[in-house]
Amino acid sequence: GRSFPAALAAGVEAMQLAESLGTPDQAALAASALGLAAAVVGDRERCEQAAALLAGVDALERRMLGPISLAYLALNEGRLDDADVLYRQIAAELPLGRGFVRWETEWVEALAKSGRRAEGAAVLDRLVEGGRRPDSLLRHEYERARGFVATDSARAHAHFARSIDHAVSEGNPF
């Protein structure tokens, strides 16, 4: 697999090339990948650059990748209140469970880490209405979110252990 630094460099180059060629759809595609990769490694400048480009995109799901990236960056930097504000803005425009990038479990994590476990559980309940995990939500992400909102440490541990097992079985190296 590719390293994140290589992905960031390729994303910046692809976005700049697409902008110089006047192909906004390709620039937005590159910005989508760049924003998420930058959020993972904590590159605020690149994340904000990608989000700024995505803010002008008409397609809702693509446009929301900017705030999703910024919220993930805030979560990773420990700015939990900032992450929550962004996730609430996203949820106001993009219904939970909709879109090709799952962001809701990170919102659950941010709420739980900020001492608002019940709010995180409510977000997870909204995502899995009817008690059924949506197919678009990977099993390891679902179990991880359940671990964050578990009310006792034994249950949390069991959910986190299942999350790791599912991630390994799904080929996720993280």
Side-chain angles (χ1 to χ4, degrees), residues 24-166:
D25 288 343
Q26 284 74 20
L29 180 62
S32 300
L34 175 62
L36 293 169
V40 168
V41 299
D43 186 335
R44 183 184 294 228
E45 178 184 354
R46 296 296 181 215
C47 191
E48 290 174 347
Q49 177 186 15
L53 186 144
L54 291 166
V57 172
D58 289 333
L60 175 64
E61 291 178 19
R62 180 70 45 121
R63 185 174 63 251
M64 288 295 98
L65 288 174
I68 289 169
S69 298
L70 292 171
Y72 191 71
L73 175 68
L75 171 62
N76 287 341
E77 291 179 340
R79 297 181 292 111
L80 302 176
D81 290 338
D82 293 344
D84 181 42
V85 167
L86 287 161
Y87 286 129
R88 288 180 191 281
Q89 290 171 355
I90 296 161
E93 291 193 52
L94 185 66
L96 271 63
R98 182 171 159 208
F100 52 88
V101 171
R102 293 281 53 85
W103 52 274
E104 301 89 351
T105 56
E106 279 73 26
W107 188 14
V108 170
E109 178 181 349
L111 290 167
K113 285 182 173 178
S114 66
R116 299 180 336 217
R117 182 177 291 151
E119 288 180 55
V123 169
L124 187 58
D125 288 345
R126 284 175 43 207
L127 180 61
V128 295
E129 285 186 57
R132 184 177 180 280
R133 176 186 58 85
D135 292 337
S136 62
L137 179 59
L138 296 174
R139 292 178 302 166
H140 72 275
E141 288 292 331
Y142 176 59
E143 289 296 336
R144 186 174 66 85
R146 290 181 70 193
F148 279 115
V149 299
T151 55
D152 66 71
S153 60
R155 281 196 172 165
H157 177 76
H159 287 299
F160 289 133
R162 278 195 296 274
S163 176
I164 292 168
D165 290 344
H166 288 312

